[in-house]
């Protein structure tokens, strides 16, 4: 017998700024998927990626809204606040990427051979995708910990949100590595790949620990100290990889400092090496910023309820 007193549905899931943001996410996701399926199209690997991103985010938003509205998230053995802000941050990054990739490859100034109606649908898809990006960003902004606020949900802090961005950038690096980067030619470049994989695994571990509520202590260290130690290690490793990778890819002794004209667009190893080098420096900057924020963070792991929106 259910002992819960009061309404079974959570009114705040609908009648609140956070609920409105999630409803907007669902509406924009539904509109995008419907228009792409109906007429806009998603040919090629770029279109498949965009469609997969939109479908994944739509399914995730529907699930989060349903669990929040029915309060069924209380049956899950996870930190609900940490889980939802992590999902919103990741969805924001996916939507930003899709909102750039889709118009870049599918929207032109002239009508395609399918007709101007197709172009108009693709423009509408881009607009709805941008609105969806704003909706997910609004959820992150609403859930983000404010200065001077007691920090209960780690993923709502600047350090926690940076963890999501770091993991997303690492996925871009892995994609470039898999696209003919020739990283296996030298032991030094293999070392860089090991660094990228190790740092991604540590970042994913921290995110999973917070979403599962395992933030009381790690061996002899508190959770916030554990995060600082891991972040410092990641900064040092990424610093070494950011130096080693360009040397063994673009120095004339080991590689080529210039892109050869015969290298085909989209399948050029030199392009993949540039992408890895650029995003290595991007992630290095993110880890440095994360280290600075982590130093100032004091995470509360006492008996404070994480499901604060019940």
């Amino acid at each position: 017998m259910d002992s819960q007193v009061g309404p079974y549905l959570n009114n705040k899931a609908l009648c609140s700024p956070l609920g409105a943001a999630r409803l907007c996410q669902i509406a924009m996701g539904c509109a995008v998927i419907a228009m792409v399926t109906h007429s806009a199209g998603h040919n090629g690997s770029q279109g498949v990626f965009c469609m997969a991103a939109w479908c994944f985010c739509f399914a995730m938003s529907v699930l989060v809204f349903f669990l929040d509205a029915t309060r069924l998230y209380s049956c899950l053995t996870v930190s609900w606040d940490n889980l939802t802000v992590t999902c919103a941050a990741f969805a924001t990054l996916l939507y930003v990427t899709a909102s750039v990739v889709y118009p870049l490859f599918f929207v032109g100034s002239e009508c395609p051979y399918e007709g101007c109606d197709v172009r108009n649908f693709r423009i509408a898809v881009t607009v709805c995708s941008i609105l969806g990006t704003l909706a997910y960003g609004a959820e992150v902004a609403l859930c983000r910990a404010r200065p001077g606020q007691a920090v209960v949900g780690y993923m709502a802090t600047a350090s926690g949100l940076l963890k999501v961005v770091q993991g997303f950038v690492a996925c871009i690096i892995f994609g470039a590595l898999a696209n003919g980067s020739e990283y296996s030619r030298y032991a030094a470049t293999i070392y860089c790949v090991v660094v990228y994989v190790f740092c991604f695994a540590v970042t994913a571990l921290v995110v999973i620990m917070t979403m599962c509520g395992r933030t009381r202590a790690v061996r002899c260290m508190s959770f916030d100290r554990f995060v600082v130690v891991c972040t410092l290690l990641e900064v040092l490793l990424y610093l070494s990889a950011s130096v080693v990778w360009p040397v063994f890819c673009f120095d004339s002794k080991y590689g080529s400092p210039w892109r050869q004209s015969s290298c085909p667009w989209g399948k050029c190893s030199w392009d993949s090496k540039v992408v890895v080098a650029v995003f290595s420096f991007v992630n290095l900057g993110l880890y440095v910023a994360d280290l600075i924020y982590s130093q100032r963070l004091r995470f509360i792991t006492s008996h404070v309820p994480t499901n604060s929106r019940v």
Side-chain angles (χ1 to χ4, degrees), residues 93-302:
L93 295 172
L94 284 177
Y95 255 77
V96 167
T97 306
S99 299
V100 173
V101 171
Y102 192 81
L104 187 64
F105 286 93
F106 291 92
V107 179
S109 58
E110 299 180 357
C111 297
Y113 66 90
E114 299 95 336
C116 289
D117 288 342
V118 174
R119 185 196 62 179
N120 295 337
F121 270 109
R122 291 176 177 177
I123 293 174
V125 166
T126 303
V127 172
C128 289
S129 183
I130 294 173
L131 293 176
T133 303
L134 296 177
Y136 283 107
E139 179 175 352
V140 174
L142 289 170
C143 297
R144 185 179 179 274
R146 302 296 187 272
Q149 195 177 37
V151 180
V152 178
Y154 169 76
M155 296 307 300
T157 65
S159 180
L161 295 174
L162 282 171
K163 287 282 188 290
V164 180
V165 183
Q166 292 160 8
F168 186 80
V169 172
C171 290
I172 297 176
I173 293 175
F174 295 149
L177 288 171
N179 189 29
S181 63
E182 300 177 347
Y183 64 86
S184 59
R185 291 182 61 185
Y186 303 105
T189 51
I190 294 177
Y191 160 78
C192 294
V193 175
V194 172
V195 168
Y196 300 140
V197 173
F198 175 79
C199 292
F200 175 78
V202 172
T203 300
L205 175 64
V206 172
V207 173
I208 292 172
M209 287 175 62
T210 56
M211 290 193 297
C212 295
R214 309 294 183 183
T215 56
R216 294 191 180 278
V218 181
R219 292 293 181 178
C220 60
M221 295 182 287
S222 61
F223 179 75
D224 51 350
R225 186 178 182 184
F226 172 74
V227 171
V228 171
V229 171
C230 290
T231 307
L232 177 59
L233 176 61
E234 289 165 330
V235 167
L236 296 176
L237 289 174
Y238 252 92
L239 180 61
S240 63
S242 298
V243 173
V244 171
W245 181 268
V247 169
F248 279 83
C249 290
F250 306 116
D251 188 273
S252 57
K253 181 178 179 181
Y254 304 102
S256 174
W258 308 107
R259 188 183 193 278
Q260 299 189 10
S261 58
S262 59
C263 202
W265 289 102
K267 297 182 179 179
C268 183
S269 61
W270 195 87
D271 294 342
S272 298
K273 293 173 184 177
V274 170
V275 172
V276 173
V278 170
F279 282 97
S280 294
F281 282 104
V282 170
N283 237 3
L284 174 61
L286 292 172
Y287 278 112
V288 171
D290 188 5
L291 182 63
I292 295 173
Y293 279 113
S294 299
Q295 276 287 86
R296 300 162 54 187
L297 178 66
R298 289 298 177 267
F299 184 70
I300 298 176
T301 57
S302 58

